[in-house]
Every structure is written in structure tokens, then in C-alpha cells.
Amino acid sequence: AQSVTQLGSHVSVSEGALVLLRCNYSSSVPPYLFWYVQYPNQGLQLLLKYTSAATLVKGINGFEAEFKKSETSFHLTKPSAHMSDAAEYFCAVSSMFSGGYNKLIFGAGTRLAVHP
Amino acid sequence: DGGITQSPKYLFRKEGQNVTLSCEQNLNHDAMYWYRQDPGQGLRLIYYSQIVNDFQKGDIAEGYSVSREKKESFPLTVTSAQKNPTAFYLCCSRGNNEKLFFGSGTQLSVL
């Protein structure tokens, strides 16, 4: 069965510093992997997704993630944090129900704080 | 603009009461989902629907019910059997390439 583990429920960085949010997955089949961002009291927005094409995936707002099969990881990075990046970030893996239906399995989330 | 609309934004439930959360989409998507979000636990799937007049239980369906009479609408009822309903509820639909489109959520609290 597929699962997702996000290391670190809270991450704090200085404005301008590197952002690194960690995600490890388990999947018995080649996975589809996603990063979503959630701002307070809002739904989730897709940042980027990996669907078995290039292993380095570029997303919106300067974020990118690298799929590393050998490490079963899909860490999210941004070279320089901005105050507006403060939010909660969720890693997710696409899973197949019996009957061929898909669902996303989400990690527990990482709350990113950016301080001046 | 196309999107997912959830209402109300805040909802309060009295003990023993059923309440219904609305989710409407105008994206012409077939698949719709309800997730429950609790602090520190991420999102857990309650129910999903792949097509009109069809829906399936997710991982935590007990105490909830849904209907899918129209493609645009996927309401969620939180019944009195759900003993711990306080949470943030998110509805979404699935577009091409597995991308999910989320509503802005409903915060349900118990009086």
C-alpha cells in the first residue's frame, strides 16, 4: 500500500534562506507524486507534480522537487524563502483503489514559517 | 470563473443533529472527493464519487453520508453517529493528470 511521510511538522527559515521540506513515500508501483500548499483557512493548491517524466520538477512560486527512486524521496526546495511562502505544505502520492479508481494519500503536512 | 464552491465557511452542530456541507463545481469534472483535515494528521478521505449516481466509502466513512444526484454537486452529511465531527472539511474534484481542485473548506464545530 502507498504511504507518505513528511519529516518535520514545523520548519522555520529566515527570509532569503533555502527552503527544504522533506517527503518520503512508499509505493509498490511507479508513483505519481504531488506537493500541495495550503494558506490559512483555505483549500489546497497544487505546487507541482511528478508523473514519471523528468525527475526534477519545477512548480509555481519558484519551488521545485526532485524524484529520487533510490531514496524513495520527493523533497521540496526553494533557493530563497519569501515571507509569502509561509503556509502548510502537503506531499501526496497517487494510489489506486480496487476497481481502478485513484485517490491521493496525503502526508501529515509541514508548516513553514518564514521570519525576517 | 470555474472552480469548487463550498458552503458554509463555518458550521456549528448541536449534539444529535445532522448537518449537511455543500460542495458545487462548474469544472465539468466526473470525480469528486471529500477529505477531513485534523491538525497534525493531514487529509483523510471520507467518500469519493467517480461519476453521477455512484459513490464509494473512503478510509473514514463511518458517521458520514453523501449523494451524487448531479454532476455538479456532492453534498456531505455529518450524522449524529459521528462522535467527533469537529474538523476542517475539504471538497475537491479531479481534473486531467490527477490534478485536484479544492474548495476553500468548511470548518465544523460542535456546540
Side-chain angles (χ1 to χ4, degrees):
Chain A
Q2 282 86 345
S3 66
V4 175
T5 301
Q6 290 184 240
L7 301 176
S9 59
H10 290 81
V11 171
S12 181
V13 300
S14 299
E15 191 173 18
L18 171 71
V19 175
L20 171 61
L21 304 182
R22 300 177 186 274
C23 173
N24 288 88
Y25 70 92
S26 69
S27 177
S28 57
V29 297
Y32 284 7
L33 294 160
F34 305 80
W35 275 99
Y36 281 84
V37 61
Q38 184 181 34
Y39 298 99
N41 298 315
Q42 294 187 27
L44 278 66
Q45 302 172 33
L46 180 67
L47 272 178
L48 50 81
K49 62 182 179 184
Y50 167 77
T51 56
S52 74
T55 56
L56 182 62
V57 182
K58 293 187 183 299
I60 62 172
N61 301 339
F63 284 94
E64 62 182 35
E66 185 172 9
F67 172 69
K68 292 187 176 180
K69 184 177 179 180
S70 61
E71 299 178 8
T72 61
S73 68
F74 191 58
H75 302 332
L76 181 71
T77 61
K78 181 174 180 178
S80 177
H82 192 273
M83 297 295 288
S84 61
D85 294 327
E88 189 153 21
Y89 293 80
F90 292 93
C91 183
V93 61
S94 181
S95 174
M96 189 75 73
F97 284 125
S98 61
Y101 300 142
N102 287 327
K103 70 174 180 179
L104 283 193
I105 297 174
F106 287 87
T110 297
R111 186 169 297 279
L112 175 67
V114 182
H115 51 86
Chain B
D1 290 337
I4 306 285
T5 301
Q6 289 188 242
S7 62
K9 191 168 180 66
Y10 299 96
L11 186 59
F12 297 90
R13 193 192 87 166
K14 297 179 181 178
E15 189 173 346
Q17 184 184 37
N18 293 353
V19 293
T20 297
L21 284 61
S22 171
C23 179
E24 304 281 328
Q25 56 108 350
N26 59 5
L27 299 168
N28 200 35
H29 291 163
D30 287 315
M32 298 184 74
Y33 304 79
W34 274 104
Y35 284 91
R36 169 178 170 145
Q37 185 178 17
D38 295 278
Q41 295 193 45
L43 280 69
R44 293 181 290 168
L45 182 65
I46 305 172
Y47 266 97
Y48 68 100
S49 169
Q50 295 292 124
I51 199 168
V52 174
N53 294 322
D54 180 69
F55 50 83
Q56 304 293 331
K57 293 181 179 180
D59 301 317
I60 56 164
E62 185 175 351
Y64 300 96
S65 65
V66 293
S67 63
R68 188 82 187 279
E69 297 176 1
K70 299 186 301 181
K71 188 175 188 178
E72 300 81 13
S73 180
F74 191 40
L76 173 74
T77 296
V78 183
T79 74
S80 58
Q82 172 50 246
K83 298 306 180 186
N84 183 25
T86 297
F88 191 56
Y89 291 86
L90 285 163
C91 177
C92 62
S93 66
R94 193 180 80 235
N96 295 333
N97 294 325
E98 307 300 314
K99 180 179 179 180
L100 297 182
F101 294 79
F102 282 85
S104 57
T106 293
Q107 176 64 50
L108 176 62
S109 303
V110 177
L111 288 176

